[in-house]
Amino acid sequence: MPAFSENDPLNIRLELESVPAGSPASEVARQLVSLLTAGDLAPGSRLPAERVLAERLGVGRSAVREALAALEILGIVQVRPGSGTYLRGGTSELLPTTLSWGLMLASNRTRELLEIRSSLERTAAILAAQRATPAQLEELQTYIDRQQTALDDPDAFIDADVRFHVLLARAAGNDVLADLLQSLRSMLSVWVGRRVRTRQATEAAYDEHRAILEALRAGDVLAVQRAMDEHMATASARIENAEPVPDDEAAARA
């Protein structure tokens, strides 16, 4: 199986440029996409180690780690714990993927993705206010309860947060809408883990989710819309303003 060796002179030939100071992981991902679609790598090729990529690009390993996570979501690479990161398919297969999903990698598209997500989440909430079953409302309450008990545990909180939104989309009774929202969550997931890392952020998100559920229970469509709009506005701001995860923290979660 083709692979890069850390001692292989081929590493010198990587068509990568140093990333400007302060540039997000999306710039790293963009350069890697260009490398992987250039046609020089065979399917199954192993990429250089995170350390090598970080040194070549002049960035921290956390930026490289985030970029590789994004490429894995897109199906471009496969990360094998303890082994390395591998190219999934040939360039003819990768190109349509990067064209149709590559908007995720551009930092100036993050806001556009968030705007689309906000609109779809609002639609899902309105439909759920009309269609949610008593059983679904009770299950939503369990995720609210989990959030309350996980205010000091960001990872557990995010899990309950995501499950709340997934169930809400199902409660809307529209499979196409639920699938679209899942795709958007996948594209945004590289940033989502950074949005609620403080007690202040988890408390705010908890209060917002609770307001949505209260409006759903009341069957008040206008109140549901207002509650979801408020949640999407603050959640989007948290994602856009999120700071990169430090290397030691990211490694601890890996």
Side-chain angles (χ1 to χ4, degrees):
M1 178 178 295
F4 283 102
S5 167
E6 294 188 12
N7 298 318
D8 192 323
L10 284 177
N11 275 318
I12 307 300
R13 297 173 53 222
L14 290 178
E15 297 289 335
L16 298 173
E17 301 175 358
S18 295
V19 174
S23 186
S26 57
E27 173 61 21
V28 176
R30 185 191 66 76
Q31 290 203 43
L32 290 176
V33 167
S34 296
L35 169 68
L36 298 177
T37 57
D40 297 329
L41 300 179
S45 293
R46 180 168 62 83
L47 274 64
E50 284 182 7
R51 175 182 57 79
V52 175
L53 290 173
E55 290 175 354
R56 183 66 180 85
L57 291 162
V59 298
R61 291 180 64 175
S62 62
V64 172
R65 192 176 294 113
E66 286 188 46
L68 293 176
L71 297 182
E72 185 173 30
I73 291 169
L74 297 179
I76 296 174
V77 301
Q78 180 183 25
V79 178
R80 302 176 190 170
S83 177
T85 302
Y86 296 82
L87 182 65
R88 277 188 179 275
T91 54
S92 61
E93 299 172 2
L94 287 176
L95 190 56
T97 300
T98 56
L99 289 175
S100 61
W101 292 80
L103 56 86
M104 164 189 178
L105 303 178
S107 58
N108 64 338
R109 294 295 182 91
T110 305
R111 179 168 296 180
E112 296 175 16
L113 288 172
L114 292 170
E115 288 175 350
I116 295 171
R117 183 202 171 191
S118 297
S119 179
L120 293 180
E121 290 282 9
R122 182 191 309 116
T123 299
I126 290 172
L127 291 175
Q130 303 168 21
R131 301 173 179 175
T133 66
Q136 287 172 327
L137 292 175
E138 289 307 312
E139 188 174 355
L140 286 169
Q141 182 65 58
T142 65
Y143 297 134
I144 294 292
D145 294 340
R146 289 187 190 179
Q147 290 178 33
Q148 185 178 27
T149 60
L151 293 175
D152 293 312
D153 184 347
D155 291 327
F157 187 94
I158 290 169
D159 180 72
D161 181 335
V162 171
R163 291 177 186 275
F164 178 91
H165 282 280
V166 169
L167 177 56
L168 183 64
R170 288 210 310 268
N174 186 313
D175 290 341
V176 173
L177 177 60
D179 288 344
L180 286 172
L181 279 168
Q182 183 58 44
S183 295
L184 285 169
R185 287 190 202 96
S186 295
M187 287 189 281
L188 288 166
S189 65
V190 70
W191 290 281
V192 167
R194 302 182 304 190
R195 71 183 184 187
V196 283
R197 307 309 302 180
T198 67
R199 174 68 182 238
Q200 182 181 8
T202 56
E203 285 182 346
Y206 165 70
D207 289 339
E208 292 159 14
H209 287 110
R210 188 175 59 179
I212 293 169
L213 182 56
E214 289 175 356
L216 286 169
R217 288 189 181 279
D220 188 334
V221 173
L222 289 179
V224 167
Q225 180 176 332
R226 286 194 298 268
M228 182 58 79
D229 283 344
E230 180 179 349
H231 175 49
M232 286 293 100
T234 57
S236 296
R238 284 192 288 268
I239 291 175
E240 288 190 276
N241 298 326
E243 295 294 332
V245 177
D247 281 342
D248 54 352
E249 182 183 342
R253 296 206 314 270

